[in-house]
Amino acid sequence: MPEESPGSLTFKLVYYGPAQSGKTTNLLRLHDQLSPELKGEVMTMETKDDRTLFFDLLPLGFRAPSGLLIKLRLFTVPGQVAHDGTRKAVLSRADGVVFVADSARNQEVNNGEAFQSMADNCHRVGLDFEHLPLVVQFNKRDLPNAVPETEIRDRWANAPWPLCFACALQGKAVTETFETLLRLLYRHHALPLALATTHGISEEAFVTGLLGRSS
Amino acid sequence: MSVTDFDKEWQLGELLDAAALARMGPPLAELLEGDAAILDRDGSPLWGTLIPGARREALTLEIEPAGYLVSSSASPRHLQAAARLFMGLLRAEARYRAASALHLEAVTQDFETLKLEHARLLASEARYRKLSEELEERVAVQVTTLKQRQEQLYQAEKLASVGQLAAGMAHEINNPLGFVRSNLGTLRLYLDKFAALRPQLADAQTAWQTLDLDYVLEDSPDLLRDCDGGLERIARIVADLKSFSHVDRPEKALADLNTCLKHAVSVIEASLPPGVELITDLNPLPCQQCNPGHLNQVFYSLIRNGIQAIQDSGHPGKVTIRSCATPEDIRILLHDNGIGMTAEQLARAFEPFYTTRAVGNGTGLGLSTARNIILAHGGQITLKSLPGQGTTVYLRFPHGHD
Ligand SMILES: Nc1nc2c(ncn2[C@@H]2O[C@H](COP(=O)(O)OP(=O)(O)OP(=O)(O)O)[C@@H](O)[C@H]2O)c(=O)[nH]1
Ligand SMILES: [Mg+2]
């Protein structure tokens, strides 16, 4: 559940995935590409070899016609296997998740294990995995050994989650992935939070408010 | 453990306590060339003096002001620069707070996982302990059942051997009984002759001769002597049988194993088949605390096995029974030069129910029961055998076993 305080509503989104799949890169590109009314700096916590140690954070926000401040806080988890405890803690209280998979053929096992660990961790931290807004992004489409899109679509045909094919390094489909999650998030929460009725925020307004007019 | 959420949004007053503010305020005021104040996000002062009409600059941690830096003396440029510097400080503090809270949360998570893991381990250990207890119980039950079965089997075999013995005895007793009965019949006829003599006493001499009473007088003592001999034999057989089966004695007794061997031999000798010879070479033995009734049966069976092996070979042969005492133990050897056993038969000889003979022809106790009795006496039994050459049974008993 998003955190409600007088005058503001905060959603927590988490970029989850195996080590080095491009979660931090996604966040950095989003920071460049988005232009919402309010945009903070990316807070990164990396070791010297660019691996996330605790988390990265990108804060965004816009004000609704009702005066309500909608805040989004985008986190990334550390992908390295050793940091499972940290991943679990970062995942707690998430309102939506982007799973960033590595498209490289030799990363298929890592993707599978990370996805399973995400499902397990959701249960452990009390998240309803079946109903959690979740987008699966296959990143690094530019790699020569990327698994072909048709093969991936075939394999995930029976899964309920939207798939995105991105190249975070070049900034491709990073915003699209984010937008897909925003729409799931809105549909999941609009009614219970009375976003449309009380605050006058439609799905389009929600999306454009966070992506920024120019995008 | 209560843990602060790592992803909470910090307030200025939470990041810098009064002491930290008191440390940073004066140099800030100095840089701002006069006065300075630090306000919380709702405008309430945390440090410094608030001069009406002073300029304020927002201190933003993420996207909203977390507080304000206020000064009336500084130029806008200086105030902005100071606010940026101060924000850098605040963000560094927030990063540190978030990282340490997350670390704590992760450690707690790991600890919870460990505790869960530990609880699971304890549960599975308990399961295994229960299982092993159940197993022990089941084994105990099985052992009891096995013991009961063995006891039943032993009793059945004992009955069988007692029955066989009784059959042998009956056969032996029949022979003397037969001639005692026939002698007595003859003597009755003789008495009839004397009765017939009485009316003819006048012509006594002629009658005496007609009735052939000379022969009667001559034959009667022979018949009586024969009868005596027969009765004596019956008495001896019954005595042997009694002492063999120990019907009249308690189970445990101090006994000389040679006596047991002699009993077994004397019982068997009465019905020794033709072509089989028993040779005994018994040397003095110290007395043993034992169950003589059981040992008698063991020796009886082993000797019978030897005789059977000789009969099976189709040749005449002999069973040698030897006993001696060494400083370590008492040794008994039974050797026959009968048919012998193949390696396969030898390997299975001690299995219960294993027999090389047709069902019903087993002689007395099986080897497995014989071994059990010997083991119960603290003894050992070993077999050596070669097909066509014969079999040797070695028995050893510790001295004075109870
Ligand atoms: N070829 C290619 N490389 C990419 C792409 N996206 C990210 N990378 C590279 O992959 C490496 C890891 O990227 P990060 O964004 O740090 O990955 P991460 O998922 O945050 O890694 P952890 O924090 O260790 O879990 C970097 O060298 C990126 O430049 C992409 O689309 N294509
Ligand atoms: Mg990272």
Side-chain angles (χ1 to χ4, degrees):
Chain A
M1 268 286 116
E3 197 176 304
E4 281 181 278
S5 59
S8 75
L9 188 61
T10 308
F11 293 93
K12 177 176 177 179
L13 304 183
V14 174
Y15 279 67
Y16 199 104
Q20 300 288 89
S21 64
K23 301 175 289 297
T24 302
T25 310
N26 259 274
L27 220 62
L28 294 173
R29 293 293 173 274
L30 277 179
H31 179 261
D32 298 343
Q33 293 178 4
L34 302 180
S35 51
E37 184 187 333
L38 298 165
K39 179 167 79 174
E41 295 302 310
V42 179
M43 183 198 279
T44 60
M45 301 217 195
E46 287 171 336
T47 52
K48 60 177 181 300
D49 52 357
D50 272 2
R51 305 188 131 195
T52 303
L53 184 56
F54 288 104
F55 61 88
D56 305 311
L57 167 60
L58 169 61
L60 307 167
F62 78 102
R63 206 166 282 280
S66 69
L68 178 76
L69 179 63
I70 307 274
K71 296 200 279 185
L72 255 72
R73 302 175 85 214
L74 279 57
F75 287 88
T76 71
V77 301
Q80 288 180 78
V81 177
H83 298 311
D84 194 53
T86 309
R87 260 194 302 285
K88 223 181 300 177
V90 173
L91 191 60
S92 343
R93 302 176 289 276
D95 299 303
V97 172
V98 173
F99 182 82
V100 182
D102 193 323
S103 293
R105 173 75 71 186
N106 61 6
Q107 293 300 309
E108 287 183 298
V109 173
N110 287 343
N111 290 335
E113 284 173 355
F115 196 87
Q116 188 56 49
S117 97
M118 176 176 70
D120 293 347
N121 282 340
C122 277
H123 289 128
R124 289 196 194 113
V125 301
L127 290 175
D128 180 4
F129 182 68
E130 322 310 324
H131 298 109
L132 182 72
L134 169 65
V135 174
V136 177
Q137 179 195 72
F138 277 85
N139 187 30
K140 306 197 188 178
R141 297 308 302 161
D142 57 313
L143 289 181
N145 64 338
V147 178
E149 185 175 327
T150 46
E151 188 181 330
I152 293 171
R153 286 201 185 279
D154 267 5
R155 198 171 309 163
W156 288 72
N158 291 324
W161 308 289
L163 300 182
C164 291
F165 294 83
C167 176
L169 197 60
Q170 297 161 15
K172 283 187 193 152
V174 164
T175 299
E176 180 197 313
T177 306
F178 180 59
E179 183 182 333
T180 310
L181 182 63
L182 285 183
R183 291 187 185 277
L184 291 184
L185 201 66
Y186 182 88
R187 288 168 207 169
H188 195 73
H189 292 296
L191 260 183
L193 294 173
L195 288 183
T197 49
T198 310
H199 300 289
I201 313 171
S202 66
E203 182 175 324
E204 287 316 308
F206 185 74
V207 171
T208 37
L210 286 159
L211 298 186
R213 324 282 160 201
S214 62
S215 71
Chain B
M1 202 188 299
S2 119
V3 176
T4 311
D5 291 348
F6 85 94
D7 53 3
K8 74 169 284 186
E9 287 186 74
W10 300 92
Q11 302 303 314
L12 207 159
E14 293 169 327
L15 291 176
L16 298 178
D17 60 12
L21 286 167
R23 248 188 345 267
M24 287 179 194
L28 261 179
E30 197 73 40
L31 281 174
L32 295 172
E33 291 170 337
D35 66 279
I38 299 166
L39 311 185
D40 209 347
R41 66 190 274 189
D42 60 8
S44 56
L46 293 170
W47 182 86
T49 34
L50 187 54
I51 292 168
R55 252 183 224 97
R56 61 169 61 188
E57 194 63 41
L59 299 167
T60 305
L61 281 176
E62 291 187 9
I63 54 175
E64 287 173 287
Y68 300 90
L69 181 61
V70 185
S71 175
S72 66
S73 54
S75 70
R77 213 160 53 88
H78 280 126
L79 186 60
Q80 266 177 21
R84 279 212 304 278
L85 196 69
F86 194 45
M87 252 166 5
L89 252 151
L90 288 174
R91 283 181 188 162
E93 183 67 24
R95 264 164 71 110
Y96 169 72
R97 295 290 183 98
S100 60
L102 179 58
H103 176 68
L104 201 59
E105 216 173 313
V107 167
T108 312
Q109 289 276 10
D110 287 345
F111 182 65
E112 290 300 322
T113 313
L114 264 179
K115 277 207 301 208
L116 237 118
E117 209 51 43
H118 183 64
R120 257 207 295 279
L121 267 177
L122 280 184
S124 86
E125 195 195 311
R127 243 194 340 269
Y128 281 119
R129 194 177 309 124
K130 188 154 164 276
L131 197 70
S132 92
E133 273 166 19
E134 279 173 9
L135 262 180
E136 262 170 44
E137 239 166 67
R138 286 218 288 269
V139 167
V141 169
Q142 295 278 16
V143 165
T144 320
T145 321
L146 271 178
K147 273 192 180 150
Q148 279 170 357
R149 293 273 152 78
Q150 207 173 23
E151 180 64 17
Q152 285 165 0
L153 201 68
Y154 169 60
Q155 292 297 347
E157 283 196 80
K158 200 161 117 178
L159 278 179
S161 73
V162 165
Q164 206 159 24
L165 196 65
M169 292 299 131
H171 176 75
E172 293 313 309
I173 292 169
N174 258 342
N175 185 7
L177 270 184
F179 65 76
V180 168
R181 193 181 283 133
S182 128
N183 285 0
L184 292 176
T186 311
L187 279 170
R188 195 168 295 116
L189 288 180
Y190 290 174
L191 278 179
D192 287 348
K193 289 188 187 220
F194 280 104
L197 181 60
R198 198 198 311 252
Q200 306 177 39
L201 274 177
D203 193 7
Q205 198 54 44
T206 322
W208 186 272
Q209 261 147 35
T210 314
L211 291 169
D212 199 8
L213 289 181
D214 280 332
Y215 175 74
V216 168
L217 277 184
E218 198 186 301
D219 194 31
S220 291
D222 284 351
L223 293 185
L224 288 172
R225 201 177 326 107
D226 268 12
C227 287
D228 276 343
L231 289 174
E232 207 167 287
R233 265 170 72 184
I234 292 170
R236 206 183 65 233
I237 290 166
V238 170
D240 279 346
L241 187 57
K242 265 173 74 182
S243 76
F244 179 81
S245 62
H246 272 260
V247 288
D248 53 350
R249 275 200 238 161
E251 299 235 305
K252 288 259 172 186
L254 206 56
D256 182 348
L257 297 190
N258 281 337
T259 315
C260 297
L261 284 168
K262 281 182 206 154
H263 277 308
V265 167
S266 74
V267 168
I268 285 170
E269 259 178 342
S271 61
L272 203 59
V276 180
E277 200 187 336
L278 289 188
I279 296 167
T280 52
D281 172 15
L282 306 180
N283 298 290
L285 299 177
C287 280
Q288 278 291 96
Q289 187 71 33
C290 63
N291 187 325
H294 288 177
L295 288 181
N296 285 346
Q297 300 209 31
V298 169
F299 298 149
Y300 173 83
S301 299
L302 294 177
I303 297 169
R304 285 293 306 257
N305 285 346
I307 293 169
Q308 193 74 52
I310 290 165
Q311 289 185 298
D312 290 348
S313 78
H315 304 290
K318 50 192 175 190
V319 177
T320 312
I321 301 145
R322 186 169 297 145
S323 73
C324 69
T326 73
E328 295 85 43
D329 47 23
I330 291 171
R331 299 186 184 183
I332 292 166
L333 172 153
L334 299 114
H335 172 76
D336 69 74
N337 53 0
I339 191 168
M341 284 188 264
T342 64
E344 195 249 1
Q345 290 172 331
L346 194 62
R348 303 188 54 192
F350 288 114
E351 283 179 23
F353 309 113
Y354 181 76
T355 174
T356 56
R357 305 206 173 88
V359 177
N361 285 350
T363 55
L365 302 181
L367 272 179
S368 92
T369 310
R371 182 172 65 167
N372 287 343
I373 293 172
I374 286 159
L375 291 177
H377 284 82
Q380 289 172 15
I381 177 169
T382 42
L383 294 180
K384 262 187 201 156
S385 188
L386 282 175
Q389 308 238 351
T391 302
T392 314
V393 183
Y394 300 90
L395 304 178
R396 288 168 174 231
F397 296 93
H399 283 298
H401 181 266
D402 182 0

